[in-house]
Amino acid sequence: MNLDSLRRTPNALAAEYSRFRVGERLLLTGHSHQAWPDVAREGQLAAFEDAARDVDAKWEAASRMAEEVRVGVRALLADDGDIALGVNTHELLVRFLSSVDIRRRPRLVTTDGEFHSARRQLARLAEEGIEVVRVPAAPAGTLAERLAAVVDDRTAAVLVSAVLFETARIVPGLDAVAAACRSRGAELVVDAYHALGVFPLPLRELGLGDAWVLGGGYKYLQLGEGNCFLRLPPHAAGLRPVVTGWFAEFGTLAEEPDPDRVVYARGGDRFAGATYDPTSHYRAARVLRFRAERGLTPEFLRTVTQHQLGLLADRFDRLDLPESVITRDRGVPLTEFAGFLALRCRDAAGLRQALAERGVSTDSRGEYLRLGPAPYLSDAQLESAIAALATCCA
């Protein structure tokens, strides 16, 4: 697989996504829900067959699929740390928050640019008396420095995204936040959802070896729903989340229960919940194999994404549309953006609807229209999408 083969029509990958009809549709929702490769269906069916054959004994096979997902996550992070799996990032975030001593350190630091699962939960905690400090996300170039400056001895945790979900801006210098947290005894949680599958994220090289990392496969990784994770830092071994399910006892069930103290499994399972649908892990494991077979590494996908963003930006700039209607941040190089092109609009929701009526799938967040390419789209498809945008803005 090489970049030239993906630029052509038909795109060299498109045939592998035939059930999502990616060659027939203009799906610029790659930052929100990428199409699944056809092999995902094999994983779905294998989950059914194992359940039909083994009934309740299916969990042995399911655990192997879960471990394959963990191995895939570790590879993406270039890290060998423990991985907790969850249906969504919110449940993992809640378990994390329940494991830190918020009574003794009742202060959480975050930004005003976090995704809704964190934004809403932290806002609700603030209503209950937890001090929540929201640092302005813009400008992204100085965000890490500004976050580090407000960490103090009362701070339980800092929660920040590696990539801002509204604008696709990469947040540089998170190692400075990690150092501030380390010196003050606070935890750092990095939301990597908009980074995974877009560019390499080697934790230790980035100075994030002590960080907790949240992420999932619903977006760029093409794993579908139910495939989220929490990477645990080495010092997490002694933490005991208050919000806990019985799967967090696995490995200890044979022991004599202690009536006075809840016990936890080792590793990532100490942050586990309870019974879940393992179909998601079958699907994810099969898709991760497919991505490895096709050479869809973070490094290669970064090259693809940068090309596609460059094409979209260039064709958009050529339209020379009124900035009062729609514009983009031309003052920042595309290398500082992740997986989508964010266009600030007078009526982002209206443009999204107008594009949908012309067969172009996008989405909007507040004042931003988000155009999310994916590796199975050809250059011609991206140009058609911008041509449709021109008619909507005429």
Side-chain angles (χ1 to χ4, degrees):
M1 196 66 61
N2 57 65
L3 179 59
D4 286 342
S5 70
L6 300 186
R7 296 181 60 183
R8 294 195 297 263
T9 301
N11 176 294
L13 273 176
E16 308 273 16
Y17 298 78
S18 64
R19 290 182 174 271
F20 272 76
R21 300 179 12 251
V22 300
E24 306 166 30
R25 300 192 285 178
L26 297 179
L27 298 177
L28 267 75
T29 54
H31 56 293
S32 181
H33 185 312
Q34 289 206 6
W36 304 346
D38 295 340
V39 296
R41 188 169 182 267
E42 296 176 10
Q44 303 259 122
L45 293 175
F48 181 90
E49 294 300 334
D50 282 0
R53 183 186 64 245
D54 299 332
V55 195
D56 200 38
K58 70 183 181 184
W59 291 103
E60 182 177 346
S63 68
R64 291 196 295 271
M65 295 299 107
E67 183 55 29
E68 194 166 342
V69 174
R70 292 189 187 95
V71 169
V73 170
R74 292 188 187 105
L76 288 167
L77 301 176
D79 183 71
D80 59 359
D82 291 326
I83 303 293
L85 299 178
V87 173
N88 53 61
T89 56
H90 177 255
E91 70 171 73
L92 293 166
L93 175 63
V94 167
R95 286 186 210 130
F96 161 77
L97 289 171
S98 78
S99 73
V100 297
D101 193 352
I102 292 182
R103 286 176 295 186
R104 188 174 63 87
R105 304 175 70 115
R107 187 172 186 264
L108 298 170
V109 174
T110 188
T111 84
D112 64 3
E114 299 309 303
F115 189 67
H116 306 306
S117 54
R119 173 196 57 78
R120 176 181 170 85
Q121 187 63 69
L122 295 179
R124 185 66 184 89
L125 288 173
E127 290 181 346
E128 295 300 314
I130 302 299
E131 181 185 359
V132 177
V133 178
R134 296 180 183 85
V135 175
T142 63
L143 177 54
E145 177 185 349
R146 290 181 287 116
L147 281 170
V150 298
V151 180
D152 62 18
D153 293 337
R154 297 176 64 252
T155 303
V158 177
L159 302 98
V160 60
S161 293
V163 174
L164 299 174
F165 83 99
E166 284 187 315
T167 64
R169 282 295 306 275
I170 299 170
V171 179
L174 288 177
D175 56 328
V177 187
C181 288
R182 192 179 308 118
S183 68
R184 296 288 190 169
E187 302 292 345
L188 172 61
V189 181
V190 177
D191 182 341
Y193 222 135
H194 275 284
L196 293 172
V198 183
F199 57 84
L201 198 69
L203 294 187
R204 297 184 188 280
E205 287 184 26
L206 295 172
L208 299 176
D210 292 339
W212 304 73
V213 180
L214 273 170
Y218 184 72
K219 305 180 189 298
Y220 309 92
L221 296 177
Q222 307 173 355
L223 308 183
E225 300 86 344
N227 285 297
C228 290
F229 72 86
L230 176 65
R231 180 266 185 183
L232 280 58
H235 64 267
L239 296 184
R240 305 172 70 248
V242 175
V243 178
T244 185
W246 75 280
F247 271 42
E249 290 183 332
F250 277 9
T252 70
L253 289 175
E255 301 174 11
E256 187 70 25
D258 184 341
D260 300 318
R261 186 174 176 81
V262 174
V263 297
Y264 291 82
R266 296 181 180 86
D269 283 344
R270 70 190 302 106
F271 282 80
T275 308
Y276 66 98
D277 180 359
T279 304
S280 58
H281 292 159
Y282 278 80
R283 182 178 64 243
R286 186 62 188 91
V287 173
L288 286 168
R289 277 178 246 152
F290 163 81
R291 293 169 70 84
E293 292 161 359
R294 297 298 183 274
L296 301 179
T297 64
E299 293 79 8
F300 175 66
L301 291 171
R302 179 60 170 164
T303 301
V304 174
T305 300
Q306 282 286 288
H307 164 73
Q308 293 183 324
L309 290 184
L311 189 151
L312 288 170
D314 176 72
R315 301 303 187 270
F316 173 77
D317 291 348
R318 292 185 191 183
L319 298 180
D320 196 25
L321 296 169
E323 291 190 3
S324 60
V325 175
I326 185 170
T327 187
R328 73 177 184 88
D329 191 347
R330 294 180 175 85
V332 179
L334 290 176
T335 53
E336 296 184 22
F337 291 88
F340 62 92
L341 185 68
L343 303 174
R344 185 183 288 108
C345 308
R346 184 170 61 198
D347 180 13
L351 273 179
R352 179 198 58 76
Q353 181 60 38
L355 284 167
E357 292 169 359
R358 290 164 174 77
V360 182
S361 298
T362 63
D363 75 359
S364 61
R365 289 287 186 270
E367 64 180 345
Y368 290 100
L369 177 72
R370 305 191 303 176
L371 306 183
Y376 43 73
L377 295 178
S378 68
D379 283 7
Q381 287 176 293
L382 300 180
E383 290 173 342
S384 295
I386 296 297
L389 178 64
T391 65
C392 294
C393 294

